[in-house]
Amino acid sequence: MMAPHLRAYVQHNRSSVLSLAAISFIACAFLGLVIAVTQMLLTDYFVRMEYLGQSPEITGSSISFFVVTAICSIAIVLMLKSAFDVAMHARIRNLGIYKSIGATDAQVRRLLLAEGCVLALPAGCVGVFVGLGSAFLLVSGLVAMTAVNRTYDPVIEIAPAAILTALVASGLTIVISALLPARRLGKLSTIKAISEGDANYERVHKPGAASRLLGRMCGIEARLAADSLRARRRSMRTANISIAFAVLAFMTLLNFETLSHLSTQETYFQRYEGVWDVRVMFEDAARYGVDEGVVSELRALDGVTGVTFGDVYKEDSDDAFYNVLTDSARSARQVTSMLEDRYSGEQGVEVLNLDEEAVRDERSRSGIRLFIDVFAAVLAAIGIADVFASVLGRIPTRRHELAQLVAAGISARQVHRMFTVESLLIIAKPLALAAVLNSAIVVLAVKVSPVEMSAFLANMPLAHIGVFLVASWLPICIAYRLGEREMMRGPVCAAMAD
């Protein structure tokens, strides 16, 4: 019985099946990515501690990383749960019919669980290996970007235990995500399932002030789109929260990174520009004063145009600073190399090159921005997956609504505009919320930093934020285009008879 039922379900619900498989693929790919990145970074940390002769310890950055990993894992579970919930709720009336002809609650649960596992597990397994491969490429890129700062050979490999963990975790995630709504729907009474069906997603709500305002400003299509989202705000709660949090986190973290970059430029690189190109620092040597032998040795180097002692910004420091100016960047690199060879065997001596420090700072910030991109993308993907599930999983319900609109005189072009506005509102609402909250956060952060507001506004990462918003909106737009094509296929008004 199960095999014929699954074949019939796949044949008559291809959009829902493809949507569920795609979401399972994306969710498991992210889960494999998170597990593999965590394992490789842990391996790199242990290798570094062994090279330095230190014992591994828990630090603030490691705690933050594991918190982010846990958040991403929970978010992935919510992504799959939401997809299964939508797919199963769309078939409440069918489940009621099964129960009316004798199917027990346990049989309905097994049926739903089997559907979810058969449709999602193969795509999930493929997604795991795609995620593992993406993690390998990501960590390899990060290692290449930070190669200048490394004094040891990193180990870049995915352990077999990580592969097994990713496969088991993905399988358990799919089973649990399918079991939760299956258990709830299995307890639904027969009469309620047949009579209500998916009616909880079709409740009529009184138009809100925002939809009326949009209708006056942008036309009837905008009002219909706003009313549609308002009527489905409960079913799209995961999408709204995930996208809002992704946009807020992305804008906040990126603005803080920009503010940190400007602060570093102002308090370090711009401050010492023209003061030193190469610096030699001796720990706990300030009390001895200027060592003329060191000064003479520095002045004798090729390309050196001046040598000074001390740092007016670090007068309380116990370290001694010898500042070297050179006639070119090439001379600075040569002087740095000679001084590193000169003091390579001595403890408590550090040689700094201002240009190399700037390059190192930019590479580390590139890694931070990449982390922000990945973190925000994971959160946004949860909401986008929920949008796909909501749009493609409720095509019969929306088709019935479209039939009513077409019967009332709405044209196909207006339907297209309505779906476009609906997809834009999904991004616009969290963007407006994030912009308001982020403005207050940025104003407070700039006040306590040495950066002027005008300098921050001139360097705001607007292009980066814009790219993220467009990249988040495009999949949502694609989901609505696919849904629109399915809903408008054939005579739409025939849906009124169903």
Side-chain angles (χ1 to χ4, degrees), residues 76-130:
I76 290 167
V77 174
L78 293 177
M79 178 197 299
L80 275 175
K81 178 184 176 297
S82 177
F84 280 109
D85 192 49
V86 170
M88 293 179 183
H89 264 90
R91 304 179 56 241
I92 290 180
R93 184 174 284 112
N94 292 342
L95 300 179
I97 295 174
Y98 290 152
K99 297 184 75 171
S100 69
I101 59 176
T104 64
D105 292 350
Q107 287 176 323
V108 170
R109 284 196 299 269
R110 286 198 296 270
L111 177 67
L112 293 174
L113 186 61
E115 283 182 6
C117 292
V118 170
L119 299 176
L121 278 175
C125 290
V126 176
V128 166
F129 287 103
V130 171

Side-chain angles (χ1 to χ4, degrees), residues 17-35 72-73 75-81 83-84 119-132 134 166 170 173-174 374 376-389 392 471-472 474-476 478-479 482:
V17 170
L18 291 176
S19 173
L20 187 60
I23 293 171
S24 302
F25 172 83
I26 295 171
C28 293
F30 276 124
L31 191 59
L33 175 71
V34 170
I35 291 175
C72 292
S73 301
I76 290 167
V77 174
L78 293 177
M79 178 197 299
L80 275 175
K81 178 184 176 297
F84 280 109
L119 299 176
L121 278 175
C125 290
V126 176
V128 166
F129 287 103
V130 171
L132 294 173
S134 302
S170 299
T173 300
I174 290 174
V374 172
V378 170
L379 295 176
I382 300 163
I384 293 170
D386 192 63
V387 172
F388 266 89
L392 300 181
S472 300
L474 283 177
I476 296 174
I478 292 172
L482 294 174

Side-chain angles (χ1 to χ4, degrees), residues 14-15 17 24 30 84 97 100-101 135 138 161 170 200 225 244 264 341 360 371 378 423 438 473:
R14 291 184 180 179
S15 298
V17 170
S24 302
F30 276 124
F84 280 109
I97 295 174
S100 69
I101 59 176
L138 176 63
S170 299
N200 58 321
T264 302
D341 293 339
R360 194 174 293 117
F371 174 79
V378 170
S423 66
N438 202 251
W473 173 74

Side-chain angles (χ1 to χ4, degrees), residues 40-62:
M40 285 189 284
L41 291 181
L42 278 175
T43 302
D44 180 75
Y45 174 71
F46 290 131
V47 170
R48 185 171 73 253
M49 290 296 101
E50 182 179 0
Y51 173 81
L52 297 175
Q54 301 176 4
S55 57
E57 58 183 10
I58 299 176
T59 62
S61 58
S62 60

Side-chain angles (χ1 to χ4, degrees), residues 338-488:
M338 288 186 289
L339 291 175
E340 287 175 344
D341 293 339
R342 165 68 176 80
Y343 295 108
S344 60
E346 299 188 21
Q347 297 291 329
V349 181
E350 185 176 4
V351 180
L352 302 175
N353 183 300
L354 195 62
D355 291 337
E356 292 178 359
E357 289 289 308
V359 173
R360 194 174 293 117
D361 179 74
E362 182 58 34
R363 287 182 175 176
S364 64
R365 293 188 182 280
S366 297
I368 293 173
R369 288 192 290 269
L370 179 61
F371 174 79
I372 294 173
D373 290 341
V374 172
F375 177 60
V378 170
L379 295 176
I382 300 163
I384 293 170
D386 192 63
V387 172
F388 266 89
S390 179
V391 174
L392 300 181
R394 299 195 181 107
I395 286 179
T397 303
R398 294 302 300 270
R399 198 163 190 264
H400 188 270
E401 295 176 6
L402 284 183
Q404 294 176 332
L405 293 176
V406 171
I410 298 295
S411 66
R413 175 173 290 185
Q414 288 177 307
V415 170
H416 178 77
R417 291 175 182 170
M418 182 188 72
F419 282 129
T420 301
V421 174
E422 197 168 324
S423 66
L424 288 171
L425 287 177
I426 291 176
I427 289 292
K429 290 172 65 177
L431 175 61
L433 176 64
V436 172
L437 295 177
N438 202 251
S439 298
I441 294 172
V442 167
V443 168
L444 293 175
V446 171
K447 282 186 176 180
V448 299
S449 73
V451 180
E452 296 291 335
M453 179 61 76
S454 58
F456 175 78
L457 293 176
N459 292 275
M460 278 188 67
L462 296 178
H464 200 161
I465 294 174
V467 170
F468 175 77
L469 293 174
V470 172
S472 300
W473 173 74
L474 283 177
I476 296 174
C477 184
I478 292 172
Y480 273 91
R481 290 291 174 271
L482 294 174
E484 179 186 354
R485 187 178 65 179
E486 289 294 323
M487 295 173 206
M488 299 297 289

